[in-house]
Amino acid sequence: MNYLLLIFSTFSLLVSISRAIEVDFCVADRNLPRGPEGYACRNPTTLTTDDFVYTGFRGSRTITNVPGNNVTLAFVDQFPALNGLGISMARLDFGIGGVIPVHSHRTSEVLIVSRGSIIAGFIDTNNTAYYRRLEVGDVMIFPQAMLHFQVNVGATPATAFVSLNGANPAIQFTMNSLFGGNLPANIAQQITLLSNAEVMRMKRAFGTA
């Protein structure tokens, strides 16, 4: 029985390896539906070097939102060449006092500061917060699915770049999920222990009340 299990496990591993190296790349064909493993591949004969280059991080950013940030994504929907490669990126720009509110991804994330000074941190499932003031060149890792955040604590705007180990890591902002969606106010009140007045204030802030 153990011998058969070993054979099956070895065969499964070989199958997974063969699938991984069956093609050199799989630039997403976004005209077709996305499946659990990503998009279908575009015909490689139609690709050019431009399909493997992303220029969306160029230039300066205008910051107008309430949190004081501007987030530029390079996920598979913005950069189809990432399809199937298990990696993505984003550029984070902070105004003075700007924040990236508490959020999570289905992946891990690594951050490097390129301008300014920020406090970055995450909170684990024991409710322990790990946070540090980061300067230019500093790097911090946020483990998979952990709630994490960034705050500009310098006297100037700040910029950081992140990389995530998934082509479509998703972003779930905690406050948006509680107050910016279709969750009824009475349930939000019960599960957050906030007063009805505070819940309604938050829902109004997110335009759902």
Side-chain angles (χ1 to χ4, degrees), residues 32-190:
L32 297 175
R34 172 188 278 158
E37 296 183 350
Y39 288 103
C41 308
R42 280 181 50 192
N43 184 341
T45 64
T46 68
L47 302 175
T48 69
T49 302
D50 287 344
D51 290 300
F52 300 94
V53 176
Y54 179 74
T55 61
F57 290 160
R58 293 181 182 178
S60 59
R61 295 293 186 272
T62 300
I63 296 173
T64 59
N65 61 14
V66 173
N69 69 56
N70 187 300
V71 177
T72 306
L73 300 179
F75 293 0
V76 67
D77 283 336
Q78 295 80 29
F79 191 9
L82 298 178
N83 190 48
L85 298 182
I87 192 170
S88 58
M89 294 185 69
R91 169 177 166 167
L92 314 179
D93 286 277
F94 304 81
I96 297 173
V99 304
I100 305 291
V102 174
H103 63 285
S104 64
H105 310 280
R106 59 172 71 101
T107 63
S108 300
E109 173 184 327
V110 61
L111 173 147
I112 182 168
V113 179
S114 64
R115 179 178 62 149
S117 177
I118 68 173
I119 287 179
F122 69 90
I123 304 167
D124 72 7
T125 54
N126 294 316
N127 297 321
T128 300
Y130 299 87
Y131 58 95
R132 178 68 58 85
R133 181 168 181 146
L134 305 177
E135 308 294 342
V136 172
D138 290 346
V139 174
M140 186 169 184
I141 184 73
F142 309 104
Q144 180 176 351
M146 296 290 98
L147 294 172
H148 58 286
F149 58 88
Q150 295 91 27
V151 182
N152 182 5
V153 291
T156 63
T159 303
F161 291 88
V162 300
S163 182
L164 306 100
N165 62 332
N168 182 37
I171 307 173
Q172 184 174 23
F173 286 100
T174 305
M175 301 298 280
N176 298 60
S177 297
L178 288 170
F179 307 112
N182 65 344
L183 186 68
N186 64 314
I187 296 178
Q189 180 181 348
Q190 289 175 306

